[in-house]
Amino acid sequence: MSPVVGVLLLVALTVCLAAGIAVGVGALSLESPGPTATFDLSADGDQSSISIEHVAGDAVDVEALSVTVAVNGTELAAQPPVPFAGASGFDGAPAGPFNSRADSEWTVGEQAGLTVAETNSPSLETGNSVTVTLAVDGRRMATLETTAA
Protein backbone atom coordinates (compact mmCIF):
# COMPACT_ATOMS: atom_id res chain seq x y z
CA MET A 1 0.00 0.00 0.00
CA SER A 2 1.36 3.40 -0.96
CA PRO A 3 1.81 6.08 1.70
CA VAL A 4 -0.79 8.32 -0.03
CA VAL A 5 -3.45 5.57 0.11
CA GLY A 6 -2.61 4.92 3.76
CA VAL A 7 -3.01 8.61 4.64
CA LEU A 8 -6.30 8.83 2.70
CA LEU A 9 -7.56 5.72 4.46
CA LEU A 10 -6.59 7.18 7.85
CA VAL A 11 -8.32 10.49 7.03
CA ALA A 12 -11.47 8.65 5.86
CA LEU A 13 -11.52 6.57 9.05
CA THR A 14 -11.10 9.70 11.19
CA VAL A 15 -13.96 11.46 9.38
CA CYS A 16 -16.24 8.43 9.83
CA LEU A 17 -15.45 8.22 13.57
CA ALA A 18 -16.03 11.94 14.04
CA ALA A 19 -19.38 11.73 12.23
CA GLY A 20 -20.43 8.77 14.36
CA ILE A 21 -19.55 10.60 17.57
CA ALA A 22 -21.37 13.75 16.41
CA VAL A 23 -24.52 11.76 15.63
CA GLY A 24 -24.31 9.94 18.98
CA VAL A 25 -23.87 13.15 20.96
CA GLY A 26 -26.68 14.83 19.04
CA ALA A 27 -28.99 11.92 19.84
CA LEU A 28 -28.42 12.19 23.57
CA SER A 29 -31.45 13.53 25.38
CA LEU A 30 -30.32 15.59 28.30
CA GLU A 31 -33.16 15.95 30.79
CA SER A 32 -33.26 19.26 32.48
CA PRO A 33 -32.81 18.86 36.21
CA GLY A 34 -35.86 19.53 38.32
CA PRO A 35 -36.05 22.42 40.74
CA THR A 36 -33.64 22.53 43.65
CA ALA A 37 -35.11 23.70 46.92
CA THR A 38 -34.86 23.30 50.68
CA PHE A 39 -37.85 22.59 52.90
CA ASP A 40 -38.62 22.36 56.60
CA LEU A 41 -41.09 19.74 57.85
CA SER A 42 -43.15 19.81 61.04
CA ALA A 43 -45.93 17.52 62.25
CA ASP A 44 -48.47 17.90 65.04
CA GLY A 45 -49.74 14.57 66.39
CA ASP A 46 -52.57 16.14 68.41
CA GLN A 47 -53.98 17.83 65.28
CA SER A 48 -52.84 15.09 62.83
CA SER A 49 -51.38 17.89 60.72
CA ILE A 50 -48.29 18.21 58.56
CA SER A 51 -46.71 21.50 57.53
CA ILE A 52 -43.92 22.02 55.01
CA GLU A 53 -42.19 25.36 54.57
CA HIS A 54 -40.26 26.22 51.39
CA VAL A 55 -37.16 27.84 52.94
CA ALA A 56 -34.77 28.28 50.00
CA GLY A 57 -34.22 27.59 46.33
CA ASP A 58 -36.26 27.39 43.15
CA ALA A 59 -40.01 27.85 42.90
CA VAL A 60 -41.90 24.55 42.59
CA ASP A 61 -44.81 23.93 40.22
CA VAL A 62 -47.33 22.24 42.54
CA GLU A 63 -49.22 20.82 39.56
CA ALA A 64 -46.10 18.77 38.68
CA LEU A 65 -45.49 17.84 42.34
CA SER A 66 -46.28 14.52 43.99
CA VAL A 67 -46.26 14.17 47.77
CA THR A 68 -45.83 10.85 49.57
CA VAL A 69 -46.39 10.72 53.34
CA ALA A 70 -45.28 7.84 55.58
CA VAL A 71 -45.89 7.41 59.30
CA ASN A 72 -43.44 5.17 61.18
CA GLY A 73 -42.18 3.89 57.82
CA THR A 74 -45.62 2.96 56.45
CA GLU A 75 -47.08 5.04 53.62
CA LEU A 76 -50.54 6.47 54.21
CA ALA A 77 -53.30 4.46 52.53
CA ALA A 78 -54.52 7.67 50.84
CA GLN A 79 -51.85 10.07 49.61
CA PRO A 80 -52.48 13.79 49.09
CA PRO A 81 -53.25 14.48 45.40
CA VAL A 82 -51.75 17.99 45.42
CA PRO A 83 -53.13 20.43 44.62
CA PHE A 84 -56.50 19.43 46.09
CA ALA A 85 -59.55 20.46 48.06
CA GLY A 86 -61.54 17.87 49.97
CA ALA A 87 -59.61 14.69 49.12
CA SER A 88 -60.41 11.32 50.65
CA GLY A 89 -58.15 10.58 53.62
CA PHE A 90 -57.67 14.25 54.54
CA ASP A 91 -59.74 16.67 56.63
CA GLY A 92 -60.79 19.97 55.12
CA ALA A 93 -58.86 21.86 52.52
CA PRO A 94 -55.08 21.94 52.62
CA ALA A 95 -53.19 25.13 53.38
CA GLY A 96 -51.05 27.21 51.06
CA PRO A 97 -49.94 25.94 47.67
CA PHE A 98 -51.39 22.44 48.30
CA ASN A 99 -54.85 24.02 48.01
CA SER A 100 -56.27 23.85 44.48
CA ARG A 101 -57.43 27.48 44.75
CA ALA A 102 -53.93 28.76 45.53
CA ASP A 103 -51.27 29.88 43.07
CA SER A 104 -49.67 26.75 41.61
CA GLU A 105 -46.17 28.12 42.19
CA TRP A 106 -44.70 27.29 45.63
CA THR A 107 -42.08 29.91 46.49
CA VAL A 108 -39.66 30.64 49.31
CA GLY A 109 -41.42 31.60 52.54
CA GLU A 110 -44.70 29.81 51.75
CA GLN A 111 -46.04 27.01 53.94
CA ALA A 112 -48.11 24.12 52.64
CA GLY A 113 -50.08 22.00 55.04
CA LEU A 114 -52.61 19.22 55.33
CA THR A 115 -54.52 17.33 58.00
CA VAL A 116 -54.63 13.54 57.93
CA ALA A 117 -58.16 12.21 58.54
CA GLU A 118 -58.89 9.54 61.15
CA THR A 119 -60.09 7.34 58.27
CA ASN A 120 -56.58 7.30 56.75
CA SER A 121 -54.07 4.80 58.05
CA PRO A 122 -51.73 4.66 59.75
CA SER A 123 -52.92 7.43 62.03
CA LEU A 124 -50.66 10.36 62.84
CA GLU A 125 -50.05 10.70 66.56
CA THR A 126 -47.61 12.46 68.85
CA GLY A 127 -44.23 10.72 68.85
CA ASN A 128 -44.68 9.15 65.40
CA SER A 129 -41.92 9.40 62.84
CA VAL A 130 -43.16 11.28 59.76
CA THR A 131 -41.46 11.13 56.37
CA VAL A 132 -42.55 13.24 53.41
CA THR A 133 -41.10 12.72 49.95
CA LEU A 134 -41.52 15.46 47.35
CA ALA A 135 -41.07 14.64 43.66
CA VAL A 136 -41.46 16.80 40.56
CA ASP A 137 -42.35 15.04 37.32
CA GLY A 138 -41.40 11.72 38.92
CA ARG A 139 -37.94 12.87 40.06
CA ARG A 140 -37.39 12.97 43.81
CA MET A 141 -36.62 16.47 44.97
CA ALA A 142 -36.53 16.05 48.75
CA THR A 143 -37.12 13.53 51.51
CA LEU A 144 -38.00 15.17 54.82
CA GLU A 145 -38.22 13.53 58.24
CA THR A 146 -39.45 14.67 61.64
CA THR A 147 -41.09 13.40 64.81
CA ALA A 148 -44.66 14.53 65.43
CA ALA A 149 -44.82 16.87 68.43
Side-chain angles (χ1 to χ4, degrees):
M1 176 175 359
S2 74
V4 173
V5 172
V7 169
L8 288 176
L9 186 59
L10 192 55
V11 169
L13 181 61
T14 302
V15 169
C16 286
L17 284 173
I21 290 171
V23 168
V25 169
L28 284 178
S29 171
L30 299 175
E31 281 189 38
S32 63
T36 302
T38 304
F39 302 92
D40 196 19
L41 172 67
S42 60
D44 182 331
D46 291 335
Q47 301 295 314
S48 294
S49 64
I50 296 171
S51 180
I52 307 167
E53 181 179 2
H54 186 312
V55 294
D58 299 330
V60 177
D61 178 4
V62 179
E63 292 181 8
L65 181 70
S66 65
V67 178
T68 306
V69 179
V71 177
N72 293 331
T74 302
E75 289 185 7
L76 292 177
Q79 294 294 331
V82 295
F84 71 96
S88 178
F90 299 91
D91 285 337
F98 285 3
N99 190 304
S100 60
R101 293 185 181 251
D103 181 10
S104 66
E105 189 172 77
W106 190 7
T107 58
V108 173
E110 289 185 302
Q111 283 193 343
L114 53 89
T115 302
V116 179
E118 289 180 12
T119 57
N120 208 341
S121 65
S123 60
L124 175 56
E125 300 171 359
T126 301
N128 288 155
S129 169
V130 178
T131 304
V132 175
T133 302
L134 304 174
V136 173
D137 292 327
R139 287 174 286 200
R140 187 177 53 167
M141 189 170 86
T143 299
L144 313 165
E145 295 182 37
T146 193
T147 300

